[in-house]
Amino acid sequence: MGCRDAAGPEMNEPLRRGAQAGRPSASLVRVLIADDHAIVRETLRMALERLCGFKVVAEAADGVAAVELTSTMHPDLVLMDIDMPRMSGIEATRRIVQADPRAKVVGLSVHSTADMGQAMLDAGASGYVSKTDDIRETCRQVKSIMSASYAAPT
């Protein structure tokens, strides 16, 4: 099926678009990880839960599953790989944000080009981080994106 519920325990500067007030604190952030590589999903889950204090509530192995799981699980954050089978992360982000404009999607890719980050932002993502970043830096970036205190780039 390309997805499963994850009932486990609780680039340098990210590109981002406008924030929303009243989002949950980092310790309560419910995350859906969308990546076509199982080892990446598993590693991200362990890191996000242990180092960031997030709770991974679901995992998707492709864009179609990410859209479906987002509509049923209503995570606070979707960490979305760009290159996935069946539907790209860019198109999945577009569909998720069209269905729920309050959805927070953060693009995640090995591609650190501004074009890829801009494509995710244009699709409605709240930010974009690189897979080449240190996981603690990724936690910091995602927490910043989830907070109501950051400003959109100018």
Side-chain angles (χ1 to χ4, degrees):
M1 176 168 154
C3 61
R4 69 183 176 101
D5 287 349
E10 305 217 14
M11 302 170 333
N12 298 319
E13 275 304 307
L15 293 170
R16 338 170 187 154
R17 69 177 170 90
Q20 296 173 329
R23 297 303 290 183
S25 68
S27 63
L28 301 176
V29 175
R30 298 171 63 250
V31 180
L32 183 152
I33 299 171
D35 194 291
D36 55 324
H37 296 100
I39 193 165
V40 172
R41 290 191 312 272
E42 292 168 13
T43 302
L44 279 171
R45 181 193 334 175
M46 285 188 294
L48 290 171
E49 291 182 342
R50 292 181 184 162
L51 300 176
C52 303
F54 297 161
K55 178 176 174 119
V56 175
V57 296
E59 298 178 10
D62 60 61
V64 172
V67 172
E68 291 171 355
L69 280 168
T70 299
S71 71
T72 59
M73 300 296 294
H74 306 287
D76 300 312
L77 171 71
V78 179
L79 198 54
M80 180 79 71
D81 185 23
I82 291 179
D83 295 321
M84 290 190 293
R86 295 180 58 200
M87 181 187 298
S88 74
I90 294 169
E91 180 58 27
T93 297
R94 186 174 291 111
R95 292 183 186 196
I96 289 168
V97 173
Q98 283 175 347
D100 180 2
R102 298 168 298 153
K104 292 273 193 175
V105 179
V106 173
L108 177 70
S109 182
V110 71
H111 305 289
S112 58
T113 66
D115 290 345
M116 284 294 196
Q118 191 59 53
M120 284 298 288
L121 294 177
D122 291 346
S126 298
Y128 177 81
V129 295
S130 174
K131 285 182 180 178
T132 62
D133 286 342
D134 176 82
I135 191 63
R136 285 178 178 80
E137 177 62 15
T138 299
C139 285
R140 187 194 67 73
Q141 292 173 2
V142 171
K143 285 178 181 181
S144 172
I145 290 166
M146 289 302 296
S147 78
S149 62
Y150 75 84
T154 56

